[in-house]
Amino acid sequence: MTIIETPSPNFNDRRLPVSMIVLHYTGMVDGGAALERLCDPVAEVSSHYLIDEDGTIHRLVAEEKRAWHAGKSRWRGIEDVNSASIGIELVNPGHEFGYRPYTEEQIDALVPLLSAIKERHGITRGNVVGHSDIAPMRKQDPGELFPWNRLARVRLALPRPTKNLMDPGWSDAGFLVALERFGYDVTDKLAAIVAFQRRYRPELIDGTIDGECRCILLALLLPKPQGDA
Ligand SMILES: [Zn+2]
């Protein structure tokens, strides 16, 4: 894995141990513009890594330092997500400038990088998240075209549950309690539902809680049945 050192001045010291990885898209016209912004002291934003559409990996901030990518966010009770996470930006114009599929080269570069980071810090699959998962009111990245299933196949992210699905029949209030239990900030109910759908049911993002959403969330929360063997 070749990593180009492209240091950003935008970082400070961590106040928490690393326990999460946050994936982003850059949401700018191209990779050059994104790199420039992430290294601009005036912008006060950064990430640890950036992966261009040709698969080139740039390191902007050392993993032991706190990069500035999460903004106001919350996941599983952690509010200083920048202190607890490694941030990876994938070059993509995003919803504002022409959202398009991630390239094969990008994902081929992401998989070993993510695998090494996850291993190095002992990060669980459930804590490999998208920006929209931790800031549902503000963010849509990395978006519904991000290939979470490819990461899940190599155990780098949670898979979308597909087997033995059962509808627990929760009320909408019950669903939101469960969603918060799983990790989402549900302060804005609609935003939280949309973020969950974007991650786990991207073919229908309508902000409406239905039986399929309940089935998926129940399966994510339940431990695997062990039987009595
Ligand atoms: Zn982001």
Side-chain angles (χ1 to χ4, degrees):
M1 190 188 326
T2 312
I3 298 181
I4 298 177
E5 303 292 340
T6 310
S8 167
N10 300 332
F11 65 86
N12 57 357
D13 289 333
R14 291 188 183 278
R15 293 183 279 258
L16 293 168
V18 175
S19 61
M20 300 171 58
I21 297 170
V22 182
L23 302 178
H24 303 261
Y25 64 47
T26 50
M28 298 192 68
V29 286
D30 59 32
L35 266 184
E36 202 169 300
R37 179 169 158 78
L38 293 166
C39 293
D40 178 356
V42 176
E44 298 190 328
V45 291
S46 62
S47 62
H48 293 90
Y49 298 96
L50 174 140
I51 306 180
D52 214 329
E53 287 185 304
D54 66 1
T56 305
I57 304 175
H58 293 264
R59 177 171 22 234
L60 288 77
V61 172
E63 287 182 18
E64 61 267 26
K65 293 296 183 183
R66 178 178 180 270
W68 303 339
H69 55 96
K72 186 172 165 38
S73 39
R74 184 182 174 88
W75 182 252
R76 295 185 171 167
I78 291 180
E79 291 194 329
D80 183 359
V81 173
N82 281 335
S83 271
S85 66
I86 304 278
I88 303 176
E89 292 274 358
L90 296 153
V91 171
N92 189 303
H95 293 88
E96 199 176 341
F97 295 104
Y99 190 41
R100 57 188 183 223
Y102 293 90
T103 67
E104 281 298 311
E105 290 84 357
Q106 262 178 321
I107 306 305
D108 287 345
L110 174 64
V111 165
L113 176 67
L114 195 55
S115 174
I117 296 169
K118 191 172 170 294
E119 186 82 9
R120 210 152 35 236
H121 301 279
I123 297 166
T124 60
R125 287 182 297 166
N127 274 359
V128 178
V129 297
H131 201 184
S132 58
D133 295 315
I134 63 167
M137 290 178 263
R138 301 186 299 115
K139 295 293 174 179
Q140 297 179 277
D141 62 314
E144 59 281 1
L145 296 178
F146 185 76
W148 287 106
N149 54 349
R150 245 196 91 185
L151 298 189
R153 280 205 295 276
V154 288
R155 299 188 63 80
L156 294 177
L158 287 176
R160 171 180 177 166
T162 53
K163 286 191 210 116
N164 304 318
L165 296 177
M166 288 177 300
D167 184 350
W170 293 320
S171 63
D172 287 3
F175 179 88
L176 288 159
V177 168
L179 194 57
E180 185 170 40
R181 175 88 189 176
F182 183 62
Y184 284 85
D185 176 357
V186 299
T187 308
D188 181 326
K189 298 179 181 71
L190 178 61
I193 297 160
V194 166
F196 174 78
Q197 290 176 335
R198 200 185 296 285
R199 170 66 177 84
Y200 286 103
R201 214 257 315 259
E203 73 277 12
L204 179 57
I205 305 170
D206 63 357
T208 301
I209 300 165
D210 56 32
E212 188 174 42
C213 294
R214 290 191 296 266
C215 285
I216 293 171
L217 182 54
L218 175 67
L220 286 167
L221 283 168
L222 286 180
K224 282 222 178 69
Q226 301 298 311
D228 53 5

